[in-house]
Amino acid sequence: MHKKLFIPGPTEVYPDVLEKMATPMIGHRTKDASALQEAISKKLQKVMMTNNTIVLSTSSGSGLMEGAVRSFTKTRAAVFSIGAFGKRWHKMCTSNGIAADLFESELGQITTPEMLEAALSTGKYDLITITQNETSTGIHNPMARLAEVYKKYPDVIVCVDAVSSMAGDLIPVDELGIDVCITSTQKCLGLPPGMAIASVSEKAIKKAETVENRGLYFDYLELVKFVKEKPYQYPSTPSESHMFALDYQLDKILEEGVENRYKRHCEMAKIAQDWAREHCELYSDPDNLSVTVTCVKNTTGKPFSEISKAMGERGYLMSNGYGPLKDITFRIAHMGDLTVEELQQYLKDLTEVIEA
Ligand SMILES: *Cc1c(COP(=O)(O)O)cnc(C)c1O
């Protein structure tokens, strides 16, 4: 039996979208392949609210995260971490020999404008990374307030991890002045895992031209070159299956409307948060809760394994905590194409299970 996914990626994929993955292959150097990539890029620009260049990568989001720090850091990166995924971005720097400092917030808390200002005012950094939505703690950063700070430092390249939030949360990339905004297919976009997406500003492209040892497969300049000059091609052979499904799913997303999709996510978040307050406790800063995933302190007295087993019997896959929060929290993902009704039914079942 397929267990319905209430985990923060991969998310449920509509059967008609899954079917598009089975579209017959085409030559990746053909005009049809370019037309497909162009269509995807134009639709993604709408979803991401940007005029920047869209690059695709046949990898998960981590590939483009690693590529970003390699392609755009010349002197030193400041990595702002609010949990597991921020820390991972720092590791991507150090394991590639990129000079980087880690600025960690307490788990469940945001990156503050003061932290950004303190780091950027030193003049030591030419790139920063920010986690827009931290999936391990269920927190989203106050991007508008952070943007007020980093916009004062126009030479700094701003890279944002929006892997678990793009197309769920509202992230107006150009308004926020984000140079490189990264996401994956398997979370709010509601597609199978296997492709990563990023928007890249002209400023970032110019910067990359001055950076050495950018690698090859995840070199943003190479990816951008194939989009701009070929045009709309991919340096190697992309996952065409994902592209067919992505092109189709983006139509569905735009049909729902980016704002409506955001509203649906907010509504689901509120339901999950209210449930957590009533039955358990919220783990994170109540003023900055994520709209795509809720991290709940397990105060039920039942171990997660028991709850999860009972939910499994009811046809659901649950998610435990992540990293150091593994045993003390569990997470309710409400992202992608889940509906309010599906979430309500899930929480009704969850209530019965914890009260049993
Ligand atoms: C899932 C996730 C990642 C990793 O993305 P992959 O596509 O699995 O490589 C990075 N950052 C955040 C915030 C995530 O939720």
Side-chain angles (χ1 to χ4, degrees):
M1 182 188 66
H2 171 68
K3 285 186 190 164
K4 197 165 190 172
L5 303 176
F6 277 82
I7 59 174
T11 57
E12 284 294 322
V13 183
Y14 278 132
D16 52 334
V17 178
L18 267 184
E19 230 171 75
K20 292 289 167 191
M21 295 287 288
T23 308
M25 295 305 121
I26 58 175
H28 68 298
R29 294 291 174 235
T30 60
K31 284 207 169 69
D32 286 348
S34 290
L36 178 62
Q37 193 168 333
E38 182 175 6
I40 290 168
S41 296
K42 298 243 153 92
K43 292 170 199 176
L44 280 169
Q45 283 175 323
K46 287 188 190 148
V47 171
M48 300 175 81
M49 301 188 200
T50 183
N51 292 315
N52 289 341
T53 303
I54 303 291
V55 295
L56 305 177
S57 167
T58 294
S59 67
S60 74
S62 302
L64 285 181
M65 287 171 68
E66 183 161 350
V69 290
R70 282 194 76 139
S71 298
F72 305 115
T73 316
K74 199 167 176 185
T75 48
R76 199 171 189 90
V79 175
F80 293 89
S81 171
I82 54 173
F85 290 102
K87 268 181 124 151
R88 217 167 125 75
W89 221 344
H90 183 252
K91 208 167 171 196
M92 287 171 180
C93 294
T94 52
S95 58
N96 277 293
I98 293 159
D101 293 318
L102 180 63
F103 299 91
E104 271 186 280
S105 301
E106 240 177 85
L107 284 183
Q109 302 298 318
I110 56 166
T111 299
T112 64
E114 293 74 24
M115 288 171 77
L116 264 190
E117 180 65 50
L120 289 177
S121 62
T122 63
K124 272 165 65 178
Y125 304 101
D126 64 340
L127 177 140
I128 59 172
T129 75
I130 297 171
T131 310
Q132 194 273 339
N133 190 73
E134 177 53 64
T135 320
S136 60
T137 59
I139 276 283
H140 67 173
N141 261 320
M143 289 305 298
R145 284 167 57 211
L146 298 181
E148 279 174 31
V149 178
Y150 62 65
K151 280 182 178 175
K152 292 194 289 178
Y153 301 90
D155 292 338
V156 173
I157 301 293
V158 177
C159 299
V160 170
D161 171 353
V163 171
S164 62
S165 47
M166 183 55 76
D169 207 343
L170 202 62
I171 310 167
V173 167
D174 284 356
E175 195 181 305
L176 291 169
I178 300 170
D179 293 299
V180 184
C181 190
I182 301 163
T183 195
S184 307
T185 46
Q186 80 278 13
K187 297 194 180 176
C188 299
L189 283 165
L191 289 153
M195 193 159 251
I197 294 156
S199 65
V200 194
S201 70
E202 284 306 309
K203 182 178 112 191
I205 295 167
K206 289 249 147 42
K207 174 71 182 289
E209 286 165 1
T210 72
V211 176
E212 283 174 48
N213 298 320
R214 299 183 305 271
L216 184 65
Y217 190 71
F218 294 116
D219 173 15
Y220 276 69
L221 260 195
E222 183 85 352
L223 291 165
V224 164
K225 194 174 102 185
F226 273 75
V227 171
K228 288 195 166 193
E229 292 172 19
K230 298 294 172 181
Y232 293 107
Q233 286 263 314
Y234 187 74
S236 49
T237 321
S239 170
E240 294 179 345
S241 310
H242 281 87
M243 291 171 70
F244 291 126
L246 180 57
D247 186 44
Y248 178 80
Q249 170 71 350
L250 285 167
D251 282 337
K252 295 183 78 150
I253 290 173
L254 291 170
E255 201 175 301
E256 179 182 18
V258 175
E259 300 260 352
N260 288 338
R261 204 171 169 85
Y262 170 61
K263 279 189 202 142
R264 175 168 56 79
H265 279 82
C266 291
E267 197 182 338
M268 292 194 295
K270 179 161 187 311
I271 291 166
Q273 291 158 14
D274 287 345
W275 183 91
R277 283 193 194 94
E278 189 183 337
H279 298 277
C280 294
E281 275 174 48
L282 284 166
Y283 178 78
S284 298
D285 171 10
D287 294 331
N288 294 286
L289 296 172
S290 164
V291 303
T292 64
V293 56
T294 297
C295 183
V296 184
K297 246 192 235 175
N298 184 4
T299 57
T300 62
K302 287 190 164 71
F304 175 78
S305 55
E306 196 181 303
I307 301 172
S308 156
K309 184 164 174 280
M311 287 299 276
E313 284 159 8
R314 290 175 184 240
Y316 300 114
L317 189 67
M318 280 186 86
S319 190
N320 62 353
Y322 194 101
L325 305 177
K326 202 170 184 325
D327 297 323
I328 57 169
T329 66
F330 61 86
R331 290 170 298 164
I332 305 168
H334 30 82
M335 59 174 74
D337 289 314
L338 279 179
T339 63
V340 167
E341 294 70 31
E342 286 172 308
L343 178 66
Q344 282 166 334
Q345 185 58 50
Y346 174 78
L347 293 174
K348 194 162 159 270
D349 278 300
L350 188 56
T351 307
E352 285 173 14
V353 161
I354 63 173
E355 285 176 352

